[in-house]
């Protein structure tokens, strides 16, 4: 359907409705979306939670669904194709279940590692986040399902999130927190956008005319629907006049009859109601809900195939692909003696509560019901054989009981044989003795530690990056007794590592989804190279970094670091180095960079080329990263481009890295315009902690 045909159909539908009928379609019918109106051929518009799996009806049990690796782990691929694959997979599952709108992706940033919902977001960098989210949205919508990027705007923490006032200067908003949304609107045209609960500079997000009506819909020419975060209903006149389209999901709440009365009283123009309804009906048509078909799987007029076959979350092909998505994004943090990859013939002691009760996803509304979760212990037993693996339960990691049921165990493995599990002892002294004995009897001790949904969850931020329980003591005890110690960290957000110098290797495994243990085994043995690169900066101590606390003062959370968020602030201003830099990751080979060159014009760097040689003994995937460090001390370093390349052992290739112009501009607040940065260093390398070559550009090199 052409744009003209779409608009004509929408206008015809609006003309058929009276005011109460129009308003009824702007208010959530229940917790799962917007109501139907058979007189205009409108089916119920169904929403589902996301972004790592299809939750089904929002805030309800949506049934069994594939559980993908969490967005941070997907982002560690630094590959837009991977983000697109995730979007396509979710569309494939959404369509046969009648879902029209997936509430995701989350494109807020990792401003502070304490953020409880950081695990749902891609990265701390706006350009990387925007690029990944763009392909995720494109793929989802190619499948006929609307993306609903969230949360618009400045929702980087959970503490008092429904009332907190995020105080952010205009330059920072424009250059950092708005950039991913700007990229999405211009490059992917999402069919809907979700607002946040919080206030921005004193004004509630759903009723913020400067951001919603003037910027999003006006300056950016966004033609989709702006949806309220569930239960973040806005005052009638303020929200309606500010640009909020439907309110979800509060049937007959503050809108409904109240909005009809506001129109009749002259507080809201009926033309405003028509514009909101126009956007909602446009969303419905694009997703096939305005077809007049009772069968939600019918072919939509937007051309998306709705009569898709039901996907099977535990089908062999699906399982293999989810395993590869998880393993390929895992990151080798340290491996100085090349203990990894394991040969597959070693005897192992697999130690820790996260080994037997592996955490596959974050908490609260992000949760989905997977067909199973393969534990790390199950995965390593299946790979190495039961005769070469002993499994030792570890110290308690939760203050409450685990929410994982035995039915979530991997049916293919039959579970871990009972004789291979030793129960967790009652005291730290006893567990130290048990794990030390187990570690001393094998070739390699694999200790699995991490966080749980008590730390990584919606609605609550962390107060420390320390591992819960006595996990640090457990790692130290293993390292003291074992011949070789490998630590696997089962967490999405940074943790402190006081034992780092005591162990032989650390694999950052993230929240790997339903195939968790199988993916960890593939990564540890090198069957799949863990070629991930970090997407957030890891502090060495609590309190380090450009932004830390998530607690507002007198209701206000001031973004004092400005544009120097994450690695930007660490590189320019921090007195100490982080534990691991944004972009860090070792893989299983070594690299040499040579002969860099720039392609530029008067305004910006268009691309960088460099020779990349694989100097190791294994084929590998490298992520070539390009950063601009402006000459002006007031401007922080920023990522401007990256490229992934696969190179066989002993070979070299010429790599071209396109550089995004949007990351090379700054906002002139006084004139309300953009200008390009001129002058500075172009740094090329494997992350800010491993810059391999530097070029000058700008006036100094003209």
């Amino acid at each position: 359907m052409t744009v003209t045909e779409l608009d004509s159909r929408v206008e015809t539908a609006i003309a058929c409705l009276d005011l109460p009928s129009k308003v009824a379609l702007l208010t959530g019918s229940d917790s799962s979306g917007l109501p139907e109106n058979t007189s205009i051929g409108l089916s119920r518009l169904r929403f589902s939670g996301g972004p790592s799996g299809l939750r089904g009806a929002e805030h309800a049990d949506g049934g069994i669904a594939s559980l993908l690796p969490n967005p941070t782990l997907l982002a560690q691929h630094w590959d837009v194709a991977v983000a697109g694959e995730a979007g396509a997979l979710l569309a494939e599952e959404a369509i046969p279940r009648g879902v029209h709108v997936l509430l995701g992706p989350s494109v807020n940033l990792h401003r502070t590692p304490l953020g409880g919902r950081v695990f749902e977001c891609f990265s701390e960098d706006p350009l990387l986040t925007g690029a990944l989210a763009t392909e995720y949205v494109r793929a989802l919508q190619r499948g006929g399902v609307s993306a609903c990027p969230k949360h618009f705007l400045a929702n980087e923490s959970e503490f008092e999130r429904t009332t907190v006032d995020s105080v952010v200067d205009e330059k920072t908003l424009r250059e950092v927190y708005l950039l991913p949304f700007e990229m999405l609107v211009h490059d992917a045209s999402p069919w809907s956008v979700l607002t946040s609960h919080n206030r921005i500079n004193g004004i509630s997000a759903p009723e913020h005319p400067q951001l919603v009506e003037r910027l999003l819909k006006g300056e950016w020419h966004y033609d989709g629907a702006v949806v309220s975060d569930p239960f973040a209903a806005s005052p009638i006149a303020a929200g309606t006049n500010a640009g909020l389209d439907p309110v979800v999901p509060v049937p007959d709440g503050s809108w409904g009859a109240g909005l009809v009365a506001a129109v009749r009283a002259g507080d809201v123009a009926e033309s405003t109601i028509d514009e909101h309804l126009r956007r909602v009906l446009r969303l419905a048509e694009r997703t096939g809900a305005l077809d007049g078909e009772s069968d939600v799987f019918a072919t939509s007029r937007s051309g998306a195939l709705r009569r898709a076959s039901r996907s099977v979350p535990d089908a062999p092909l699906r399982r293999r692909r989810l395993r590869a998505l998880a393993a390929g994004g895992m990151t080798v943090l340290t491996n100085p003696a090349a203990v990894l990859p394991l040969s597959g013939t070693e005897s192992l002691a697999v130690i820790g509560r996260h080994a037997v009760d592996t955490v596959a996803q974050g908490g609260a509304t992000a949760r989905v019901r997977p067909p199973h979760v393969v534990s790390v212990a199950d995965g390593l037993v299946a790979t190495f054989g039961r005769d070469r693996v002993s499994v030792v339960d570890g110290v308690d990691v939760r203050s409450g009981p685990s929410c994982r049921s035995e039915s979530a165990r991997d049916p293919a493995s039959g579970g871990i044989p009972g004789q291979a599990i030793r129960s967790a002892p009652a005291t730290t002294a006893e567990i130290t003795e048990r794990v030390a004995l187990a570690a001393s009897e094998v070739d390699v001790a694999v200790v699995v530690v991490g966080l749980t949904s008590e730390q990584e969850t919606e609605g609550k931020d962390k107060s420390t990056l320390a591992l819960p329980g006595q996990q640090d003591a457990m790692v130290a005890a293993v390292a003291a007794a074992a011949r070789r110690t490998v630590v696997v960290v089962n967490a999405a957000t940074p943790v402190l590592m006081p034992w780092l110098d005591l162990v032989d290797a650390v694999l950052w495994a993230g929240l790997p989804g339903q195939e968790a243990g199988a993916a960890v085994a593939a990564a540890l043995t090198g069957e799949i190279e863990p070629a991930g690169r970090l997407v957030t900066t890891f502090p060495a101590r609590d309190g380090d970094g450009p932004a830390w606390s998530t607690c507002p003062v007198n209701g206000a959370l001031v973004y004092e670091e400005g544009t120097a968020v994450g690695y930007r602030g660490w590189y320019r201003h921090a007195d100490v180095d982080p534990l691991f830099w944004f972009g860090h990751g070792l893989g299983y080979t070594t690299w040499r960079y040579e002969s860099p060159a720039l392609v530029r014009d008067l305004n910006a760097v268009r691309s960088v080329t460099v020779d990349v040689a694989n100097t190791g003994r294994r084929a590998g995937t490298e992520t070539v990263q390009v950063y601009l460090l402006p000459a002006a001390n007031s401007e922080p370093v920023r990522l401007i481009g990256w490229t992934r390349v696969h190179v066989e052992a002993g070979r070299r290739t010429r790599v071209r890295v396109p550089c995004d112009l949007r990351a090379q501009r700054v906002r002139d607040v006084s004139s309300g315009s953009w200008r390009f940065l001129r002058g500075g260093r172009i740094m090329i390398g494997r992350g800010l902690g491993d810059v391999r070559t530097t070029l000058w550009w700008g006036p100094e090199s003209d």
Side-chain angles (χ1 to χ4, degrees):
M1 176 179 287
T2 67
V3 173
T4 300
E5 290 171 330
L6 185 155
D7 288 342
S8 176
R9 190 151 187 258
V10 167
E11 295 305 320
T12 299
I14 293 173
C16 294
L17 301 174
D18 59 17
L19 178 61
S21 298
K22 294 175 183 178
V23 168
L25 297 181
L26 301 180
T27 302
S29 57
D30 54 30
S31 63
S32 63
L34 298 174
E36 67 178 0
N37 187 311
T38 56
S39 71
I40 59 171
L42 177 65
S43 304
R44 285 187 61 214
L45 196 61
R46 293 174 173 87
F47 290 65
S48 172
S52 295
L54 200 72
R55 184 176 175 83
E58 182 69 4
H59 305 303
D61 178 6
I64 300 296
S66 297
L67 176 59
L68 281 66
N70 78 291
T72 303
L73 184 53
L74 289 175
Q76 287 177 183
H77 284 265
W78 287 59
D79 189 345
V80 296
V82 166
E85 184 171 354
L89 187 154
L90 291 168
E92 180 184 323
E93 293 206 357
I95 288 174
R97 295 170 67 174
V99 169
H100 301 93
V101 180
L102 184 74
L103 301 181
S106 297
V107 293
N108 299 113
L109 302 183
H110 301 181
R111 175 178 176 260
T112 163
L114 293 181
R117 218 165 174 178
V118 164
F119 72 94
E120 282 192 48
C121 307
F122 288 120
S123 81
E124 70 183 20
D125 180 75
L127 182 65
L128 179 61
T129 293
L132 296 172
T134 292
E135 195 55 39
Y136 178 109
V137 169
R138 284 173 174 163
L140 189 65
Q141 295 185 169
R142 278 194 297 265
V145 178
S146 173
C148 194
K150 58 185 184 180
H151 302 84
F152 192 78
L153 184 68
N155 181 198
E156 274 69 42
S157 56
E158 294 295 289
F159 192 80
E160 296 180 1
R161 66 174 179 156
T162 61
T163 59
V164 66
D165 184 11
S166 299
V167 180
V168 195
D169 66 84
E170 182 182 347
K171 176 178 165 64
T172 300
L173 279 177
R174 287 279 191 164
E175 294 179 22
V176 179
Y177 297 101
L178 281 166
L179 180 56
F181 288 98
E182 180 185 3
M183 294 173 69
L184 280 168
V185 169
H186 290 161
D187 299 343
S189 300
W191 297 338
S192 59
V193 167
L194 193 73
T195 64
S196 54
H197 289 85
N198 56 292
R199 293 175 289 155
I200 303 103
N201 297 326
I203 304 174
S204 177
E207 54 189 85
H208 207 302
Q210 293 90 345
L211 290 174
V212 177
E213 190 66 43
R214 298 175 198 169
L215 176 64
L216 182 59
K217 294 183 175 181
E219 181 180 331
W220 292 351
H221 306 292
Y222 176 63
D223 72 348
V226 179
V227 184
S228 71
D229 202 350
F231 302 105
S234 168
I236 296 170
T240 308
N241 291 328
L244 185 63
D245 295 312
V247 170
V248 178
V250 265
D252 200 28
S254 60
W255 289 25
L259 183 50
V260 173
V263 174
R264 289 175 175 164
D267 295 328
V268 177
E270 187 165 355
S271 60
T272 299
I273 300 299
D274 289 347
E275 173 59 17
H276 295 320
L277 184 56
R278 185 171 293 116
R279 291 171 179 272
V280 170
L281 294 180
R282 192 179 290 142
L283 170 63
E285 201 289 326
R286 284 166 165 166
T287 57
L290 192 59
D291 285 328
E293 300 275 0
S294 58
D295 178 3
V296 297
F297 312 129
T299 302
S300 78
R301 293 174 185 260
S302 63
L305 184 62
R306 307 294 297 179
R307 202 177 292 277
S309 59
R310 182 170 293 275
S311 58
V312 181
D314 60 351
L317 180 61
R318 174 61 49 81
R319 296 191 64 181
R320 287 195 297 273
R321 193 55 206 147
L322 291 178
R323 171 175 168 266
L325 287 176
M330 292 179 184
T331 302
V332 180
L333 296 181
T334 62
N335 189 27
V339 168
L340 296 179
L342 301 177
S343 68
T345 62
E346 298 92 341
S347 60
L348 304 181
V350 182
I351 297 167
R353 181 61 52 85
H354 282 77
V356 296
D357 188 12
T358 304
V359 178
Q361 60 182 316
T365 61
R367 295 191 67 81
V368 301
R369 288 183 59 202
H372 57 261
V373 171
V374 182
S375 73
V376 173
D378 284 337
L380 289 173
V381 166
T383 298
F384 284 78
R386 297 181 181 183
D387 59 334
R388 291 210 300 273
V389 179
S390 63
V391 180
V392 186
D393 195 1
V395 296
D396 289 333
V397 296
R398 299 178 186 265
S399 58
S402 171
C403 59
R404 179 185 175 196
S405 65
E406 283 302 306
S407 64
R409 300 294 286 279
D410 179 15
S413 74
I416 306 171
Q419 66 268 26
I421 302 176
R422 303 165 189 167
S423 299
T427 67
T428 300
E430 289 172 328
I431 190 65
T432 299
E433 182 178 350
R434 293 281 184 93
V435 300
L437 177 61
S440 67
E441 295 174 342
V442 295
D443 298 321
V444 180
V446 178
V447 193
V448 190
V449 298
L451 304 175
T452 74
S453 57
E454 293 180 348
Q455 292 85 37
E456 297 185 309
T457 186
E458 180 179 357
K460 182 176 68 174
D461 293 321
K462 298 187 288 291
S463 59
T464 177
L465 302 184
L467 290 168
Q470 297 297 315
Q471 294 183 88
D472 290 334
M474 181 179 69
V475 174
V478 170
R483 296 179 181 89
R484 291 176 289 176
T485 303
V486 174
V487 176
V488 175
V489 185
N490 178 201
T493 53
V495 301
L496 304 183
M497 303 181 189
W499 33 260
L500 189 62
D501 293 337
L502 305 177
V503 303
D504 296 288
V506 179
L507 177 71
W508 186 260
L511 301 179
Q514 67 183 52
E515 307 304 323
V520 168
L524 288 176
T525 59
E527 178 191 350
I528 299 173
E529 183 189 19
R533 303 294 185 260
L534 293 182
V535 292
T536 193
T537 305
F538 281 36
R541 293 166 291 277
D542 277 346
D544 285 355
W548 180 255
S549 176
T550 65
C551 296
V553 177
N554 297 323
L557 183 62
V558 181
Y559 286 39
E560 295 178 336
E561 71 284 355
T563 61
V565 62
Y567 70 87
R568 296 176 171 212
W570 279 98
Y571 195 86
R572 183 70 95 174
H573 305 300
D575 296 327
V576 296
D577 285 338
L579 187 64
F580 296 109
W581 282 100
F582 172 87
H584 172 74
L586 301 177
Y588 286 148
T589 188
T590 54
W591 302 92
R592 185 174 67 247
Y593 287 43
E594 295 175 329
S595 305
L598 299 180
V599 175
R600 61 189 180 91
D601 57 26
L602 291 178
N603 291 320
V605 177
R606 295 287 179 167
S607 64
V608 170
T609 56
V610 64
D611 286 343
V612 175
N614 181 345
T615 57
R617 298 180 178 179
R618 298 174 62 96
T621 298
E622 175 66 318
T623 301
V624 181
Q625 302 164 44
V626 178
Y627 297 85
L628 166 61
L629 180 64
N633 288 331
S634 59
E635 293 293 341
V637 67
R638 72 276 316 274
L639 179 72
I640 62 172
W642 68 92
T643 292
R644 279 167 54 92
V645 60
H646 186 80
V647 185
E648 295 298 320
R651 304 297 295 272
R652 62 190 296 143
T653 188
R654 187 72 176 170
V655 177
R656 176 181 176 272
V657 184
C659 297
D660 198 294
L661 302 184
R662 289 168 292 200
Q664 302 178 60
R665 61 183 187 176
V666 291
R667 187 71 175 179
D668 186 331
V669 176
S670 61
S671 66
S673 62
W674 293 100
R675 63 175 176 83
F676 285 103
L677 291 162
R678 293 290 312 281
R681 283 185 285 167
I682 301 298
M683 302 185 296
I684 309 163
R686 314 190 68 233
L688 281 175
D690 190 3
V691 173
R692 295 300 179 91
T693 185
T694 299
L695 298 171
W696 289 93
W697 88 281
E700 295 87 350
S701 59
D702 285 346

